[in-house]
Amino acid sequence: MLTSDLFNDTHAVPIRITNSCADTIWPAVATQHGRGPGLGGFELGGGKTRDFNVSFDWQGRVWGRTNCTFNANDTGPADPSRGSAAGPGTACATGDCFGVRDCAGGGQVPSTLAEFTLQGGVGGKQTFYDISLVDGYNLPVGIVYIPAPNTTFIPPNLVNPSCIATDGWLAPPSRIGATYTNRSYPMPYEPRQDNAAVGRWCPWPLQRFPPAKPGDGVYPYPDDGVERPPFNPCMSACVATNSDEDCCRGSHNDPNVCRGGLYAANAKRVCPDAYSFAYDDQTSTFIIPSGGGWEVVFCPAGRSTNILSTFGTQMQHLAASGNLTRQMLEDVASEDYIRSHSSAAVRGGHVSLRALAAFTLGLGLLTAL
């Protein structure tokens, strides 16, 4: 587990980025508010970690780029005319930033995002964060909270979500585990998916790089009879169609109208704690007291987490009051509690964390999202 040793600068918040993938990736960081880490992208080999500091009011996002080849100055693709698998002018197959290594803004979709607002809510006393698949999915991602000295104790199984939707990375099916937590506080997992299932969750038309047509060049029906590659980035429906219906715009800019489609349903099935479409914030936004640091892990171990549905009551109370009761601490440490409540969550019935937070603290709490 990470410790408060990273808090060597009392005027900044530590951000750690870890690549647990087998291959090199090129993490990117976009700063939307506050002081960022001082660079927008870098190379990170498999098993490597890099530490940064950001301001207490930082708002931004982190994502991973894959299969990048830059020129000698890192200012463009090695071969501009051919580019990468994403097309001419690009240096990375996914997450590309106009061909440069040091990103100056957002990246090319699809990409899995880790999003942070470190000082949100009333008085800036809360941190909002999430894993987002709204712009699609390319890499498994986990977020790990780094407790700061003298901050409220929060059990790690409440604050460390992960989304693993890539074939070959899932641990065997289980409702609980000890990854990115400890044995005192078991982590609630999505219990049903296996590697074969997560290798096929992306709707066929939304695959960024669909497999070659077999045989005589005609796809069989259904398409799921075709073997998919292990690395299979998936575009969201909004990215693919850019329609008001899929992007929750225009007459669909209403949570009672825009419900998400097949992509959102499939994404939520494999990654229950992740954003799946624009109005999915009710079951994907984490809200905790400000003060700690953060690690973003690419290709985390374990399974996708199922925290917000399993611990809805506890997370609502934490968002509203900034602490947990003794009974709540006992419940989140109980394997029996986790098994019974995660079973109910899988059957349906997500709890709206945002709705209760808005009711308790006022709509001003949500303006940062």
Side-chain angles (χ1 to χ4, degrees):
M1 297 297 295
L2 296 175
T3 69
S4 58
D5 294 343
L6 289 173
F7 290 86
N8 52 15
D9 184 345
T10 58
H11 301 289
V13 174
I15 300 289
R16 167 170 284 184
I17 300 178
T18 296
N19 177 18
S20 293
C21 305
D23 299 319
T24 296
I25 62 171
W26 286 259
V29 182
T31 295
Q32 297 157 299
H33 180 78
R35 176 177 57 80
L39 79 172
F42 55 95
E43 180 178 328
L44 193 63
K48 302 296 184 181
T49 290
R50 190 161 177 179
D51 293 329
F52 303 95
N53 286 320
V54 298
S55 61
F56 285 103
D57 62 346
W58 183 69
Q59 181 180 6
R61 52 179 52 179
V62 180
W63 69 97
R65 294 172 290 173
T66 61
N67 304 100
C68 301
T69 53
F70 299 100
N71 61 25
N73 298 320
D74 293 326
T75 56
D79 185 345
S81 61
R82 293 185 59 186
S84 70
T90 64
C92 305
T94 60
D96 187 78
C97 301
F98 300 98
V100 302
R101 188 178 75 163
D102 193 7
C103 300
Q108 188 177 73
V109 295
S111 56
T112 316
L113 303 176
E115 302 181 305
F116 300 90
T117 297
L118 298 189
Q119 284 190 342
V122 177
K125 295 181 179 180
Q126 289 153 315
T127 289
F128 300 83
Y129 63 102
D130 64 79
I131 297 172
S132 176
L133 308 187
V134 174
D135 289 334
Y137 172 92
N138 67 337
L139 289 169
V141 168
I143 297 176
V144 181
Y145 175 63
I146 308 171
N150 302 317
T151 54
T152 301
F153 170 71
I154 306 174
N157 60 345
L158 294 183
V159 291
N160 297 340
S162 60
C163 168
I164 304 174
T166 298
D167 185 5
W169 284 101
L170 273 186
S174 174
R175 290 195 184 277
I176 60 173
T179 306
Y180 304 111
T181 182
N182 55 54
R183 295 193 180 278
S184 297
Y185 294 98
M187 181 67 74
Y189 284 152
E190 185 290 313
R192 295 181 175 177
Q193 303 299 313
D194 58 19
N195 280 295
V198 299
R200 313 187 79 81
W201 73 270
C202 181
W204 183 271
L206 301 183
Q207 295 175 100
R208 181 64 181 87
F209 307 115
K213 296 180 180 180
D216 58 0
V218 178
Y219 284 121
Y221 182 84
D223 293 328
D224 267 355
V226 179
E227 183 176 357
R228 303 189 185 195
F231 179 64
N232 193 27
C234 188
M235 298 180 290
S236 69
C238 175
V239 166
T241 69
N242 195 32
S243 68
D244 288 355
E245 180 179 2
D246 288 326
C247 298
C248 300
R249 296 188 307 243
S251 61
H252 294 271
N253 187 17
D254 183 331
N256 296 314
V257 175
C258 194
R259 299 284 188 173
L262 178 62
Y263 169 83
N266 286 5
K268 206 67 180 177
R269 189 176 70 248
V270 296
C271 291
D273 282 329
Y275 255 101
S276 62
F277 74 106
Y279 283 114
D280 187 30
D281 51 339
Q282 295 179 350
T283 61
S284 56
T285 304
F286 286 74
I287 306 172
I288 69 169
S290 294
W294 301 94
E295 180 183 22
V296 177
V297 183
F298 293 99
C299 301
R303 297 181 58 81
S304 295
T305 56
N306 194 23
I307 297 170
L308 292 175
S309 290
T310 303
F311 295 134
T313 299
Q314 292 80 6
M315 294 302 292
Q316 288 176 359
H317 192 274
L318 183 62
S321 67
N323 55 53
L324 298 168
T325 67
R326 178 176 297 181
Q327 182 61 55
M328 289 177 177
L329 289 171
E330 292 177 2
D331 287 342
V332 300
S334 167
E335 289 192 10
D336 290 340
Y337 181 95
I338 293 172
R339 291 183 189 279
S340 63
H341 285 71
S342 66
S343 297
V346 168
R347 289 194 299 270
H350 291 283
V351 179
S352 173
L353 181 64
R354 167 176 280 221
L356 181 121
F359 175 78
T360 306
L361 299 175
L363 292 176
L365 179 152
L366 303 172
T367 57
L369 289 181

